Amino acid sequence: MTSNTRPGGRTARVRDAVLRAAGDALAEHGLAGLDLADVARRAEVGKTTVYRRWGTVTGLVADLLLDMAEQSLPRSDTGSLDGDLRANARLVQRTLSDPRQGPLFKAVIAAATSDPRTAAALHGFYDTRIREWASCVELAVRRGEVPVGTDAHEVVRAVSAPLYYRLLASGDPVDVAAADRAAAAAAAAARAGIFVRTA
Amino acid sequence: MTSNTRPGGRTARVRDAVLRAAGDALAEHGLAGLDLADVARRAEVGKTTVYRRWGTVTGLVADLLLDMAEQSLPRSDTGSLDGDLRANARLVQRTLSDPRQGPLFKAVIAAATSDPRTAAALHGFYDTRIREWASCVELAVRRGEVPVGTDAHEVVRAVSAPLYYRLLASGDPVDVAAADRAAAAAAAAARAGIFVRTA
């Protein structure tokens, strides 16, 4: 293990500082306000280091999403599908209504609508998070709470979807009541066998 | 009734041409590529007419969303909640996967993340569409398919949400299978009483 890769080493500290600065800038000004030189200044890191390591704004956002997926909390294990999905919904709700994370997600999602590399990084983020939480549903299948053949990923997507719809489309509040309802609806549909894979 | 307000009159024709040109430009280049002078040229309408009537790009997008809500298809009436919600889901699926409408919605949703006036117009669009379809659920309550006190708007939101989540967040395909599953999940959760208003 070299000092370059050791967690907490200089390379890791530079990455932490740069990604924190990038997240701050994104949350404040959106993607249009993101500039590598400004991020370097905020992070107190040399401009050439930032350009050499991340290259472009898109490269920086992709690495930020990778870091967010890595840093995200492990899934809960409450012992029941209802409890686990509610914990998942409340985590998503807290993230989307957080004064820093909410604007950051909005900015990245907006950028992903027109930039394929940002879209790929965003899809990778959700893929990681959905896989992390899918095991709740697999355990629920083993406990006999939901039918064999239930698509665990689809159940987890169903928990998040109503919260993102409120944030991005309808503008309804992303509150705890909405989170609990999203979790309960996904669990009820799963119990009814709606997410059983066909064919 | 004056010729100014008569449907099909000159004012209506100008609005139609300008909104069609604005929609084309949005679908092709996103909101950043929308320019009133370019829209006027595409619509073969005088630039001053466009500036006088719509003022800004934001004003033009707001009017486009109003027109989209007005022009949208009336809700289906298949005689069952499952059938009605499936028709709604398939309409949303067709819209979001349409080569012109899909990019147009993405562009407007992206713009709404950072522009409050576009966000207000977007929320107005969904409010109109959700109200249009809510009556399916109200009929289902009267037929005894779902419990009394079911929040009809929340059921309709639950049908669209998984499709928008795929389009904007996870990147999974917005296909007919996803639409039918979204409709079936919303109906199952509604039957289970998840959308009954509390308090």
Side-chain angles (χ1 to χ4, degrees):
Chain A
M1 196 182 263
T2 72
S3 65
N4 261 5
T5 55
R6 183 165 53 80
R10 180 170 148 66
T11 301
R13 282 201 308 276
V14 165
R15 185 180 180 226
D16 283 354
V18 167
L19 295 184
R20 192 171 318 114
D24 289 344
L26 262 178
E28 281 168 37
H29 307 297
L31 202 84
L34 198 61
D35 171 81
L36 293 194
D38 173 53
V39 167
R41 200 176 33 72
R42 284 174 183 249
E44 300 180 5
V45 163
K47 224 167 32 172
T48 51
T49 303
V50 173
Y51 280 102
R52 203 171 44 226
R53 177 138 178 206
W54 286 278
T56 60
V57 162
T58 310
L60 183 58
V61 171
D63 196 36
L64 179 65
L65 284 164
L66 190 65
D67 184 62
M68 284 164 61
E70 286 163 359
Q71 303 292 327
S72 284
L73 292 173
R75 72 169 181 83
S76 301
D77 189 358
T78 67
S80 79
L81 183 66
D82 277 302
D84 289 352
L85 297 187
R86 195 180 311 116
N88 181 222
R90 288 188 176 192
L91 174 63
V92 173
Q93 185 270 329
R94 277 198 305 279
T95 303
L96 297 184
S97 57
D98 181 84
R100 181 175 183 276
Q101 300 251 78
L104 199 162
F105 270 91
K106 278 188 169 185
V108 174
I109 289 168
T113 62
S114 59
D115 179 72
R117 221 184 126 191
T118 303
L122 189 70
H123 301 161
F125 171 82
Y126 291 112
D127 189 52
T128 302
R129 296 307 295 158
I130 290 166
R131 270 190 288 116
E132 169 73 18
W133 283 86
S135 52
C136 299
V137 183
E138 285 149 15
L139 285 175
V141 171
R142 267 179 257 161
R143 286 191 302 256
E145 288 189 72
V146 294
V148 172
T150 296
D151 183 333
H153 291 219
E154 201 53 28
V155 177
V156 177
R157 285 186 198 105
V159 173
S160 285
L163 303 173
Y164 279 87
Y165 180 75
R166 287 167 168 259
L167 181 77
L168 299 165
S170 74
D172 298 288
V174 183
D175 53 19
V176 174
D180 289 355
R181 203 163 43 231
R191 277 191 290 268
I194 305 301
F195 300 116
V196 173
R197 277 183 217 84
T198 49
Chain B
M1 197 183 265
T2 72
S3 65
N4 262 5
T5 55
R6 183 164 54 81
R10 181 172 145 66
T11 301
R13 280 200 309 277
V14 165
R15 184 179 181 227
D16 282 354
V18 167
L19 295 184
R20 191 170 320 112
D24 289 345
L26 261 178
E28 282 168 35
H29 307 297
L31 202 84
L34 198 62
D35 170 81
L36 293 194
D38 173 56
V39 167
R41 200 175 34 73
R42 283 174 183 247
E44 301 181 4
V45 164
K47 225 169 29 174
T48 51
T49 303
V50 174
Y51 280 101
R52 201 170 46 226
R53 178 139 177 204
W54 287 278
T56 59
V57 163
T58 311
L60 183 57
V61 171
D63 197 37
L64 179 65
L65 284 163
L66 190 64
D67 184 63
M68 284 164 61
E70 286 163 358
Q71 302 291 327
S72 284
L73 293 172
R75 72 169 181 84
S76 301
D77 188 358
T78 68
S80 78
L81 183 65
D82 277 302
D84 288 352
L85 296 188
R86 195 180 310 116
N88 181 221
R90 288 188 177 193
L91 175 63
V92 173
Q93 185 271 330
R94 277 198 304 279
T95 303
L96 297 184
S97 57
D98 180 84
R100 182 175 183 276
Q101 300 252 79
L104 199 162
F105 270 92
K106 277 187 168 186
V108 174
I109 289 168
T113 62
S114 59
D115 180 73
R117 220 182 128 192
T118 303
L122 189 70
H123 302 161
F125 172 82
Y126 290 112
D127 189 53
T128 302
R129 296 306 295 157
I130 290 167
R131 269 190 289 115
E132 169 72 18
W133 284 85
S135 52
C136 298
V137 183
E138 284 148 14
L139 285 174
V141 172
R142 266 179 257 162
R143 287 191 301 255
E145 288 189 72
V146 294
V148 171
T150 295
D151 183 334
H153 291 217
E154 201 53 28
V155 177
V156 176
R157 284 185 199 105
V159 173
S160 285
L163 304 173
Y164 279 86
Y165 180 75
R166 286 167 168 259
L167 181 77
L168 300 165
S170 74
D172 299 288
V174 183
D175 53 19
V176 174
D180 289 355
R181 203 163 42 231
R191 277 192 289 268
I194 304 300
F195 300 116
V196 172
R197 276 182 218 85
T198 50

